[in-house]
Amino acid sequence: MQNKRRPTKTIIYLLLILLAIISSVPFYMMIINATRDTKDIITGFTFVPGSSLIDNYNTMMGYVNIWNGFKNSLIVAVSVTVLSGYFSALTAFGFAVYNFKGKNQLFLFMLLMMMVPGQLGLIGFYELNKTLGLLDTFIPLIVPTIASPFVVFFVRQYLATTLHSSLLEAARMDGASEMKIFHTIAFPIMMPAVATMSIFTFIGSWNNYILPLVILFSPEKYTLPVLMGFLKGSQVAQNLGSMYLGIAISVVPIMIAFLFFSKYIITSIGAGSVKG
Amino acid sequence: MKKLDYKGYYFIAPFFAIFLTFNLYPVLLTFYYTFTHYEGYGEPQFLGLDNYVRILTDSYFLEAFINTWQIWGLNFALQLGIALFLAALFSDLRINIKGLGFFRAIFYLPNLITISSVAILFNIMLDWHYGSVNQFLLKLGIISEPINWLNQPFTAQASVALILTWMWFGYTFIVLMAGVAGISKEYYEAALIDGANRWQTFIYITLPLLKPIMLYIMITSLIGGLQLFDLPMLLTDGLGSPDGSLNTMVLYLYNQAFRYGNYGYAATIAYMLFLITVIFSGITFKSMYREAKVTKKRGNK
Amino acid sequence: MKKVLSMFLLILLVGVIAGCSDDSSTSDNGNNTDNNTNTEENNEEKDYSGEVLKVWSFTDELEDPITTFEERNGSTVELTIVPIADYPTKLRPALESGVGAPDVFTGEIAFLKEWTDRGYWENLSADPYNVDEWEDDYVPYVFDLGKDSEGNVRALSWQTTPGGIFYRRSIAEEVLGTDDPAEVGEMMSSWDKMFETGDKLKEAGYRLFPDEGAIRWFSKSEDPQPWVNEDNELVMTEAKLNYFDHAKTLREKDYTAFAPEWSPSWFAAMDGPVAYNGGWDEVDSEASKDNQTEVFSYALPTWGLHSVLKPNVEETNGDWAVTSGPAPYFWGGTWVGIYSGSENKDLAWEFVKMMTHDEEFLTDWALETGDVLSYLPVTDEIKGDFSEPFLDGQNNYEFFLEESKKIEPGIVTKYDQQIDTLLGSKVIDYVDGKVTKEEALEEFYKAVKNAYPEIKTP
């Protein structure tokens, strides 16, 4: 048995490493290219970094203040992640635990609305925000994500396997209010699901392009993807190294954040299974 | 049947307040456009049901419908297969694979890059003469002459499906693992004691308990897959070349609206797509639900 | 089924309520905006210092003019650049609703004809602009393109963008016995002569064009007629039908290098030999010499010299010249106008005037950038002084000015961009041997009909 298992394990690891390489090659290329100049990039790809990182950085900063965009993106993405995580947990809890009139219809309604293709809603959304006086603010980018059907759907599905009504009953016996039960008992149980979805929400918001492009007018409010678009339309587009550097600056930090966050999920998963 | 509890409304109220404020108006406006001829500016002209009559006889839409299913089907099968395989590996107590956090993060990397960067990247890699994909396959001797990937309907569709798999298998894997994490370790330990093999553990413990998460994956992937458009748009000429094989439903919608200015018709396509999504989601729900019943019965035995 | 039905009813019901409240608030808001406009107009002064002008464009070429403009009158200009692909997406909601819209915005030829008729741009034929008086000062087709369907000028352009054929002098010398633009132009002046030249080049191991699409401009302008006439009929000229055959000839006789426009090989072929039909080998390895070829010429317009050839060429710098093809054509161009809802029209007009009608500024601009201007009083003054080192000293300025005057005004329709694209893709299908010419034509008509149901196809 022992002899048989060793090679299997090696093969599995080799397979995983191969998959990991396939997944990370474009990333590596991007980071390497951020340190090379245009001529080198055109001639082909190498695995060795170039020496033009500082030049590329200066060229790029001559056009846009990428750190300001970084700050804006961070404000938006963090707010979105927190709001959508909290309110989705709240909504999913409401759907999973209570039995009320029209519950199934409302859930179905929510599911139906996420099936409508969104491409054409842009003009209506713009007009709505014009009416509400919210154009050129972060609010249209942040507040609507309180209603994130996909996240609610996921957390509810997760609760279906993990939440036991006995836990809630016990808490109610102790005289805890419903909100308190949600915050102290249900939310920790939902945490792995919320955290998982938070990654996607954060990245979705971080990469969101068309909405901020249309909603924001003031350059000092531009988010990173809009600034990258700005770069694409300018002379910098000729300087491929600077373009790659811009993309790298917008991606690498979230990659690092993600790695940390990923660790956190594992800990919360551990906590979850102890309770379950 | 539990007794009715109005407190649930408090919990879902914020969601629906925001939802109705921001989402409903655009959605209904779009619905109104389906009955009009509207070019995206000025006043829409009322047409009645003309757009609906047109879409039922539109061969381009039918083509788009078939293409979307072909691309999504291939992608989904591969993506779910890989993700399930990985989930089975990592949930197996016996082999006890280390580094879940690391691999999970790495597998998710392709999803971090914006779709336009992905398209640029693969455009270069799939180039007939200069692309690294052909260079690589030629060097290995797998093919004897370069393949013009994006010029043949089959290879073009397969390319898109594979790129999508590459982008999304990590996501599906993460979601599956979140579900696996919700399964109590006791089940696995019990299975181990009972002498269940790897396959049995996966089929009889992991899969049934993952059912709600699987349903989530099925439904969201279906919705996302049927709305596939940016990759086909960016990889070739944006019209669905070669031979219309990359003309997906939302690409068609997009072109009708933003290329040709037929907003009303584009809105009709959106609602047809909505209907199609509803129907297929319904079928998925129904079949998953029936299976769930069957498993439960088996469990009782 | 019942559930779904009741859901729809609910949606509709809520929608009606939401719709009503939206309407009322919209009108409130509208009133407020009007009030603001009035007060601001009253406060307006002739001195522009401290005023802010918002300009939107899709490139950064306006950056230098803006600096000049700011220095001249003390105003501040906010330039917003949106990549061309997203430009209409960004503009449309802002222009339609009037909120957050710019005072001045540019338009590329692809959207120009659509936008002139929408009232987004101020009517410049009316008081106080009266630009009709300037008509004789501009290259005719450029001035004409800025007009709406009633003949009112909505936008002006400072540049003209006629095209030519850029070719390699050394190859011309070797194969054709001359590198003189006039003589080479003569060898390209008709389809037959062009194919004859292609044949000679092929014998010597060169390729006439990088791809078949290179000839589309000549086919389009050989018999200049609008794509769609007043009766909404698609006009399929003999020349356009011949485009299919000419493209097929290029492919079958091997006059092209399989390097599609904007692809890596297309750029690579500008600067030396490229691998032909098997580019996976190292480009400079001796073994693959047989598989290599060099491209003789590219059909490119004025801007092609500065933004396509120059940045991608190193080895062949100075080895180029430009001449005319079988027919004169133009490709691209940027127009500029005032947003009709702008609250800052005086300053906006100052800016448009400087960009298109200011001799001092335009002279500096042309000498600095080499941009071929459409404003004749300036070009007449300076056109003799140009000598382009990249083209071995040739005066491309004079050449392009002559070409631009040959271009027929009044044939561009709002459909052009899309119909050209559709035609191009069907021609390539035919050239690739996927369909017969009849099938390709039929598919083309069907696609046009699908895109624009109002157009009558043959």
Side-chain angles (χ1 to χ4, degrees), chain B:
Chain B
M1 196 72 195
K2 276 188 277 180
K3 70 172 167 69
L4 292 181
D5 191 340
Y6 67 94
K7 289 192 205 88
Y9 291 121
Y10 295 137
F11 285 91
I12 66 165
F15 178 98
F16 278 92
I18 296 293
F19 194 62
L20 295 180
T21 314
F22 284 96
N23 293 33
L24 204 62
Y25 175 66
V27 163
L28 288 170
L29 194 67
T30 309
F31 189 59
Y32 166 64
Y33 290 152
T34 65
F35 301 105
T36 65
H37 175 79
Y38 180 51
E39 296 187 355
Y41 65 97
E43 277 298 302
Q45 296 162 255
F46 195 76
L47 274 187
L49 291 173
D50 284 11
N51 284 327
Y52 289 93
V53 173
R54 178 177 168 195
I55 200 165
L56 292 175
T57 53
D58 185 346
S59 65
Y60 289 101
F61 183 72
L62 184 68
E63 170 193 88
F65 177 76
I66 295 167
N67 288 335
T68 310
W69 276 103
Q70 281 170 345
I71 296 170
W72 179 73
L74 179 57
N75 151 54
F76 187 63
L78 285 170
Q79 178 190 315
L80 191 65
I82 295 173
L84 274 175
F85 175 70
L86 290 172
L89 279 185
F90 280 101
S91 66
D92 192 331
L93 288 182
R94 247 167 311 191
I95 16 179
N96 189 20
I97 299 287
K98 295 263 174 5
L100 170 61
F102 171 75
F103 283 116
R104 188 165 45 184
I106 296 288
F107 293 159
Y108 188 62
L109 284 183
N111 207 282
L112 288 180
I113 318 173
T114 53
I115 194 98
S116 57
S117 310
V118 170
I120 293 168
L121 180 79
F122 279 95
N123 246 324
I124 297 169
M125 284 180 43
L126 292 173
D127 188 81
W128 191 9
H129 298 317
Y130 287 79
S132 37
V133 172
N134 273 337
Q135 290 184 14
F136 187 68
L137 293 177
L138 280 164
K139 230 164 230 165
L140 290 184
I142 294 173
I143 54 173
S144 57
E145 56 181 51
I147 296 171
N148 200 346
W149 297 99
L150 296 176
N151 199 33
Q152 301 298 328
F154 175 73
T155 51
Q157 287 191 349
S159 302
V160 172
L162 283 171
I163 296 170
L164 286 173
T165 307
W166 176 75
M167 283 183 72
W168 289 98
F169 83 92
Y171 167 87
T172 310
F173 171 57
I174 290 178
V175 171
L176 278 178
M177 282 315 286
V180 168
I183 302 172
S184 169
K185 285 237 162 38
E186 286 154 27
Y187 288 112
Y188 290 112
E189 280 154 12
L192 208 59
I193 292 164
D194 287 350
N197 68 22
R198 215 167 275 161
W199 180 244
Q200 286 167 329
T201 314
F202 186 67
I203 293 292
Y204 294 110
I205 295 178
T206 313
L207 269 191
L209 286 167
L210 276 181
K211 193 129 279 172
I213 296 296
M214 288 290 282
L215 180 70
Y216 168 82
I217 291 174
M218 295 274 211
I219 299 288
T220 52
S221 176
L222 181 79
I223 295 172
L226 291 181
Q227 296 189 13
L228 169 68
F229 105 105
D230 19 24
L231 203 53
M233 176 172 83
L234 294 165
L235 273 184
T236 62
D237 60 357
L239 291 171
S241 286
D243 295 353
S245 62
L246 295 188
N247 179 27
T248 63
M249 286 187 279
V250 177
L251 180 58
Y252 187 50
L253 178 161
Y254 184 89
N255 280 333
Q256 283 291 348
F258 301 110
R259 205 182 265 264
Y260 306 132
N262 299 325
Y263 249 76
Y265 190 56
T268 317
I269 299 172
Y271 273 85
M272 273 305 273
L273 180 54
F274 170 66
L275 208 65
I276 292 168
T277 316
V278 170
I279 291 169
F280 283 95
S281 303
I283 294 172
T284 313
F285 260 111
K286 269 266 153 62
S287 58
M288 291 285 281
Y289 181 67
R290 191 178 301 137
E291 272 179 47
K293 262 187 182 165
V294 174
T295 352
K296 240 179 216 161
K297 261 185 213 152
R298 201 182 286 153
N300 287 342
K301 272 179 200 170

Side-chain angles (χ1 to χ4, degrees), chain A residues 184-197:
Chain A
T184 56
I185 298 174
F187 200 74
I189 293 175
M190 284 185 260
M191 204 51 214
V194 172
T196 305
M197 282 294 124

Side-chain angles (χ1 to χ4, degrees), chain C residues 195 198-199 202 248-256:
Chain C
F195 290 136
D199 214 45
K202 202 212 154 186
K248 191 83 169 174
T249 309
L250 285 175
R251 171 68 62 92
E252 280 175 349
K253 296 249 168 106
D254 239 354
Y255 296 159
T256 54

Side-chain angles (χ1 to χ4, degrees), chain A residues 27 195-196 198-200 202-203 251-265, chain B residues 100-112 170-171 174:
Chain A
F27 246 87
T196 305
S198 293
I199 298 171
F200 307 137
F202 184 88
I203 287 159
V251 172
V252 171
I254 43 169
M255 193 176 100
I256 293 166
F258 174 62
L259 281 169
F260 274 108
F261 212 49
S262 179
K263 236 183 195 150
Y264 170 71
I265 298 173
Chain B
L100 170 61
F102 171 75
F103 283 116
R104 188 165 45 184
I106 296 288
F107 293 159
Y108 188 62
L109 284 183
N111 207 282
L112 288 180
Y171 167 87
I174 290 178

Side-chain angles (χ1 to χ4, degrees), chain A residues 39 63 105 109 112 122-123 126 128 130-131 135 209-210 213-214 216-217 222 229-230 232-235 238, chain C residues 7 11 22 25-26 29 58-60 63 79-83 86 89-90 92-94 97 99-100 311 314:
Chain A
K39 254 193 351 236
Y63 277 84
Q105 284 85 339
F109 171 66
L112 281 178
L122 201 59
I123 290 182
Y126 188 92
L128 180 74
K130 183 186 93 177
T131 312
L135 289 174
Y209 173 54
I210 289 296
L213 175 77
V214 170
L216 302 174
F217 321 127
Y222 282 177
F230 195 92
K232 241 190 262 173
S234 72
Q235 288 294 320
Q238 305 272 355
Chain C
M7 255 7 272
I11 296 170
D22 275 338
S25 43
T26 313
N29 208 303
F58 47 89
T59 66
D60 64 350
E63 237 156 46
L79 174 65
T80 300
I81 303 171
V82 182
D86 312 306
T89 316
K90 167 99 183 162
R92 190 201 297 253
S97 70
V99 180
E314 211 160 79

